[in-house]
Amino acid sequence: MNVDMPMPDAAISAALRGPFALDDDTAYRRWRDQKLARYPRRVEDLIVEVHDPRKLRASEAAELRRVCRIANLAIYASPLAGVADKNLPRRLGAQLGLARHVANPLADDDGISSLEVVPGKMTRGYIPYSSQRLLWHTDGYYNAMPDSIRAFILHCVQPADGGVNRLLDHEIAYILLRDADPEYVRALAADDVMTIPANTESGVATRPARTGPVFSVDAADGSLHMRYTARTRSIEWRSDDVTRAARQFLEQLLTGDSQYVFTHRLAGGEGLVCNNVLHDRTAFTPATADQPGRLIYRIRYRDRVAGTAAAADHSATHPW
Ligand SMILES: [Fe+2]
């Protein structure tokens, strides 16, 4: 039995519009050229030093928002290595306009997941709670559209050997796909392009199958949303040639050495704030007698980082 309303996702998906509309090349070019002209080239350009993520100075908050506005992600570095304060991510998010968190079935009651090696969860097939690598994805690709995850924060309390993230702004993925062939974008924006099978545990469906687009545009703020997983087992893709070619292009981009893919291992006290960009993670070394285990807090939101939507990005009066 499905635990939520069996509303077809296709009926509520949002068509591409604004600079993302395929029939308006002028708007696209203007947005694209502006975006690429100021795009960061080095991971260092994404790092913002903060004295305490729970109590940002106005200048620190402004800088995090500025970096998120141009790259959809920012990395903060604080002196709080080893400080296990579970309220930290929520307090940080609140200062960046992130308010509506999305609960996760495996998260602790406060909506904040402690990502660490948990044998019970690992054996149920939840790789984030293991030390294994995570393939490229956006968070919540298995969620229904109204529960789409627009932003998330990862805060590193304790790193380990490994656990390196690669990050790719999904707007850059859109640009590279569209520049290669606009038909790739059209295929990936189809309402039925990707189906995630139902999640079943012990024969009971805990989540129904989800069919929906890879690319969609938020009806409220005009921002681009991406739903993707590089996982292949039991993901159903539309089987036409253009979809296949688009997927291959994206896979090559993610596995190649694109200048737009950033690589970073979060150190203790560091964190990632992002508008749910594409990301992966390498495997890491589990805890030993001498080395504590890796601990990352994660919180996910329905909101984007304030002031980073396409509409805000276009405001000529918005100071950078
Ligand atoms: Fe993730």
Side-chain angles (χ1 to χ4, degrees):
M1 192 184 78
N2 294 344
V3 293
D4 56 1
M5 294 291 289
M7 188 166 180
D9 292 351
I12 47 173
S13 71
L16 301 179
R17 64 187 178 85
F20 308 112
L22 287 168
D23 58 2
D24 188 348
D25 216 45
T26 308
Y28 169 65
R29 290 277 147 203
R30 191 167 53 232
W31 168 80
R32 171 201 179 278
D33 293 351
Q34 218 177 64
K35 171 142 185 141
L36 295 184
R38 63 186 174 215
Y39 206 74
R41 298 290 170 195
R42 307 169 312 147
V43 73
E44 292 79 10
D45 299 332
L46 303 169
I47 299 177
V48 179
E49 301 280 344
V50 304
H51 77 293
D52 187 338
R54 298 166 294 192
K55 296 174 288 186
L56 294 176
R57 296 187 175 114
S59 58
E60 295 167 349
E63 181 64 2
L64 280 171
R65 285 159 69 146
R66 184 191 70 82
V67 176
C68 281
R69 194 152 56 229
I70 57 176
N72 278 313
L73 69 138
I75 293 164
Y76 60 86
S78 82
L80 301 186
V83 176
D85 177 359
K86 268 195 88 187
N87 287 319
L88 184 150
R90 187 193 309 283
R91 290 179 64 183
L92 170 61
Q95 299 165 83
L96 300 171
L98 298 171
R100 297 175 299 162
H101 77 263
V102 179
N104 167 328
L106 291 184
D108 308 345
D109 288 337
D110 51 10
I112 296 171
S113 305
S114 299
L115 300 181
E116 56 190 333
V117 176
V118 179
K121 289 176 181 173
M122 200 167 81
T123 53
R124 287 158 69 196
Y126 292 97
I127 296 173
Y129 296 93
S130 78
S131 59
Q132 296 170 39
R133 75 173 176 144
L134 284 172
L135 298 175
W136 281 100
H137 65 282
T138 56
D139 271 26
Y141 59 83
Y142 37 74
N143 287 11
M145 295 288 286
D147 293 327
S148 291
I149 289 166
R150 304 280 170 184
F152 66 82
I153 293 173
L154 297 179
H155 176 79
C156 179
V157 177
Q158 176 67 49
D161 284 342
V164 177
N165 290 114
R166 283 187 299 176
L167 307 159
L168 176 63
D169 179 350
H170 56 296
E171 289 181 356
I172 293 288
Y174 175 99
I175 288 171
L176 298 176
L177 281 155
R178 181 161 172 171
D179 288 356
D181 187 342
E183 292 308 310
Y184 290 169
V185 171
R186 193 185 310 281
L188 295 176
D191 284 337
D192 60 350
V193 70
M194 181 172 80
T195 298
I196 312 298
N199 189 14
T200 51
E201 279 190 50
S202 312
V204 178
T206 53
R207 173 181 44 68
R210 302 285 191 211
T211 298
V214 170
F215 287 122
S216 59
V217 171
D218 187 294
D221 66 11
S223 64
L224 183 74
H225 182 66
M226 186 173 188
R227 182 172 161 269
Y228 179 74
T229 174
R231 182 183 139 194
T232 50
R233 190 165 51 91
S234 70
I235 304 291
E236 293 158 25
W237 289 89
R238 262 179 73 147
S239 59
D240 60 279
D241 291 345
V242 182
T243 301
R244 204 170 295 120
R247 285 175 53 203
Q248 273 171 13
F249 183 90
L250 191 52
E251 282 163 22
Q252 280 165 11
L253 168 63
L254 296 173
T255 54
D257 57 354
S258 168
Q259 60 174 323
Y260 294 108
V261 173
F262 297 112
T263 301
H264 187 72
R265 186 187 78 127
L266 291 175
E270 288 189 351
L272 168 69
V273 179
C274 75
N275 290 322
N276 199 3
V277 297
L278 289 155
H279 55 289
D280 76 350
R281 182 193 78 192
T282 61
F284 59 88
T285 308
T288 63
D290 319 316
Q291 174 71 31
R294 183 178 189 263
L295 175 58
I296 302 273
Y297 293 143
R298 182 188 65 197
I299 183 165
R300 311 201 270 202
Y301 296 95
R302 287 186 171 77
D303 311 299
R304 286 169 59 90
V305 176
T308 62
D313 197 31
H314 271 113
S315 166
T317 57
H318 207 294
W320 291 89

